[in-house]
Amino acid sequence: MTFPVHSYRDAISTMADGTIKQINPFSGTEVWTVPGRGNRPLTTTKKDPQPLEPDDFTHSCNFCEATPLKTPPEKSRMIKGRDGEWHILYGLLPNEMEQTPAEFRRVPNLFEIVSYDYWVKNYGYIMPSDSEFQMSRYLGDAIGREHVANIVRTRLSASGQDASTKSEDELFELAKGYFAGGHDVIISRRHYIDGATDSSQLASSGTLTPDEHYGFISFTVDALRDLYAHQPYAPYVAVFQNWLAPAGASFDHLHKQLVAIDERGVQMNMEIARLRTNPNMYNEWAVNYGIYRNLVIAENDHAILIAGIGHRYPTMSLYSKSPTPEPWLQTPEEIRSMSDLLHACHAATGPDVACNEEWHHKPADLDVPMPWRINVKWRVSTLAGFEGGTKVYVNTLSPYNIRDRVVNAMYKLRDEGKIEKTIRIAMECSTSTNSLKYNPALQ
């Protein structure tokens, strides 16, 4: 697999009129940024924000903290213990949930992208014994039994089926996917920020504290580990976050999703083909290139953030420096470093900008290492006929525009104590190349 990128000069170039042309060295995507568009605001004024009542903080949607039975049965929750540390509790019953308030909850998606039946009918998947035990335990609880029946009826009704024709046994047969399925949602506690006065003041990733965000990320990493452990037919688990409706969110409530799939995906296969010919490509074409082009935004001891090149939407790319490719095998310090820079990304972006967070990591069946990396994409433009016809994407912001906006915001946020103070920004960052240690030759 080859792309029209042969040297460092080819990935990004500036024309005489100021048009910046980019070729993504991993995907071959071609992107142009035309002059005069980089200073446009990223957000739009929210229409008609409504005053908040006390119940709005806890009852605004099905993901809110006071409505845990509006979602399928919870798999686990992240709590802050009396010792000040994060702890994960697994498989609580409804009455136990009331005794342990959660900062983050992991629940099955009500409408799976890849269903439980998909794995059963295509692969002969059998529910693991621990999942079977939890289902039996949950259905043995009176409130849990009613909860499961109601959730299945909700799904059937939303699909246009008559739930009243189903017996209780039939309902519970359909509920297996909520105990052994492969599509989970990680839900944050807050719907609005603490002290909010109107409905425009949503709680986003960037409004969490750095420590709360670490709880969010480490909990997601644990869910990633667990899905691989329970789904032997899935070589890959996709992890992503859709923030606000333009980015694909169904609820304006902070959450991430994880989906076990039986393919790596076209983009991943393209990258793997290139990786086999150049094991050091993530250093050469991401971090090193970012250093040479002054596109490094920030770093800390175990992660580095750069402005992305050749993306359909303005993008920041975050890379783990860890020699361990699997996120769930990294040390708490390495995960915390990724979390701190990712949190700073979102804080600098602001809660009113629709964005996607896309995680990438080494598939379970891959024989070559690749680094854990996360793209944060601002959904501030709409693809149109020009892009569809030419496959040349017009991006409103160049990598340099992105760098300048985010760097300026991060300096201010760090001074205000809103992001981790140990983050090094822009010129404070090291210029040492090959800082990603996933490549065994560099270890």
Side-chain angles (χ1 to χ4, degrees):
M1 183 69 64
T2 59
F3 302 117
V5 175
H6 306 289
S7 72
Y8 288 119
R9 296 182 182 88
D10 294 329
I12 185 168
S13 59
T14 303
M15 306 295 286
D17 73 326
T19 297
I20 297 176
K21 294 185 177 182
Q22 307 159 54
I23 299 288
N24 187 304
F26 303 116
S27 67
T29 301
E30 184 173 1
V31 176
W32 292 6
T33 302
V34 299
R37 299 169 68 92
N39 294 321
R40 299 194 315 173
L42 301 182
T43 61
T44 56
T45 303
K46 292 196 173 183
K47 296 180 180 178
D48 195 23
Q50 298 297 308
L52 295 177
E53 299 295 333
D55 279 358
D56 292 329
F57 288 87
T58 55
H59 292 77
S60 284
C61 73
N62 287 351
F63 285 172
C64 282
E65 61 179 310
T67 58
L69 301 188
K70 291 289 186 180
T71 66
E74 181 182 295
K75 289 185 175 181
S76 58
R77 61 176 45 197
M78 179 71 94
I79 67 168
K80 200 64 179 288
R82 294 180 180 177
D83 58 0
E85 300 296 324
W86 292 105
H87 300 277
I88 300 176
L89 305 179
Y90 298 91
L92 299 185
L93 297 177
N95 67 308
E96 295 171 327
M97 296 177 191
E98 299 174 359
Q99 302 166 22
T100 54
E103 287 298 321
F104 305 98
R105 302 173 61 231
R106 175 188 170 199
V107 305
N109 194 295
L110 183 60
F111 299 99
E112 301 164 291
I113 292 176
V114 182
S115 70
Y116 175 78
D117 277 353
Y118 180 91
W119 300 108
V120 172
K121 293 177 180 178
N122 291 310
Y123 292 94
Y125 179 69
I126 297 174
M127 180 184 289
S129 58
D130 58 344
S131 302
E132 189 173 19
F133 173 79
Q134 175 59 13
M135 181 174 179
S136 174
R137 180 171 175 266
Y138 205 88
L139 294 180
D141 178 84
I143 299 175
R145 190 177 185 87
E146 182 181 7
H147 173 214
V148 172
N150 288 338
I151 286 294
V152 177
R153 290 189 187 104
T154 297
R155 185 180 72 181
L156 290 173
S157 298
S159 302
Q161 302 180 53
D162 185 358
S164 66
T165 64
K166 301 290 185 182
S167 68
E168 195 173 63
D169 287 342
E170 289 175 313
L171 293 176
F172 295 148
E173 183 66 25
L174 293 172
K176 288 183 176 180
Y178 296 137
F179 294 91
H183 185 172
D184 290 342
V185 183
I186 309 294
I187 302 170
S188 180
R189 174 177 61 83
R190 295 181 186 87
H191 191 102
Y192 298 104
I193 61 172
D194 294 340
T197 56
D198 66 59
S199 59
S200 70
Q201 297 171 287
L202 296 169
S204 70
S205 286
T207 66
L208 299 175
T209 68
D211 187 57
E212 287 172 336
H213 192 265
Y214 170 63
F216 193 21
I217 296 303
S218 61
F219 190 42
T220 304
V221 168
D222 182 76
L224 179 60
R225 172 203 60 78
D226 187 66
L227 284 177
Y228 274 121
H230 283 85
Q231 184 43 273
Y233 304 110
Y236 197 63
V237 177
V239 184
F240 57 95
Q241 176 175 297
N242 303 331
W243 175 247
L244 304 181
S250 300
F251 292 120
D252 287 344
H253 190 122
L254 179 60
H255 65 283
K256 297 188 193 296
Q257 298 187 60
L258 303 94
V259 184
I261 57 178
D262 57 350
E263 296 184 13
R264 296 169 177 167
V266 173
Q267 175 61 43
M268 180 66 75
N269 285 331
M270 291 168 63
E271 288 196 21
I272 290 170
R274 300 213 78 191
L275 184 63
R276 292 192 186 282
T277 64
N278 180 6
N280 201 42
M281 72 174 191
Y282 293 105
N283 273 308
E284 292 184 10
W285 287 107
V287 177
N288 295 359
Y289 189 79
I291 291 171
Y292 300 149
R293 289 286 186 158
N294 292 319
L295 293 176
V296 176
I297 296 171
E299 73 168 348
N300 53 27
D301 289 348
H302 301 292
I304 187 166
L305 176 69
I306 62 174
I309 295 173
H311 293 276
R312 299 179 185 185
Y313 301 100
T315 299
M316 292 175 281
S317 296
L318 172 63
Y319 286 82
S320 169
K321 298 178 185 178
S322 173
T324 305
E326 300 86 357
W328 58 94
L329 296 179
Q330 292 190 8
T331 67
E333 292 77 15
E334 290 170 333
I335 296 172
R336 177 65 190 248
S337 286
M338 286 289 281
S339 174
D340 285 344
L341 280 185
L342 184 60
H343 172 257
C345 276
H346 287 295
T349 298
D352 297 332
V353 178
C355 62
N356 296 117
E357 183 182 299
E358 303 169 354
W359 291 28
H360 303 274
H361 61 279
K362 186 180 83 67
D365 60 351
L366 185 62
D367 60 328
V368 291
M370 56 171 54
W372 176 23
R373 55 214 183 276
I374 300 173
N375 288 328
V376 176
K377 298 185 175 181
W378 296 342
R379 297 294 295 272
V380 295
S381 60
T382 301
L383 302 183
F386 176 78
E387 288 86 353
T390 64
K391 302 306 178 187
V392 174
Y393 298 90
V394 179
N395 197 326
T396 56
L397 297 174
S398 75
Y400 303 108
N401 296 140
I402 298 167
R403 175 203 61 194
D404 292 345
R405 283 175 180 254
V406 176
V407 163
N408 291 336
M410 281 190 180
Y411 278 131
K412 183 173 184 293
L413 289 164
R414 191 178 62 180
D415 289 343
E416 295 171 346
K418 294 180 179 178
I419 62 174
E420 179 56 50
K421 62 183 180 181
T422 58
I423 291 173
R424 302 185 289 275
I425 303 170
M427 299 304 292
E428 301 166 355
C429 297
S430 168
T431 57
S432 299
T433 56
N434 293 330
S435 62
L436 309 184
K437 301 306 180 185
Y438 74 94
N439 182 359
L442 299 173
Q443 294 175 19

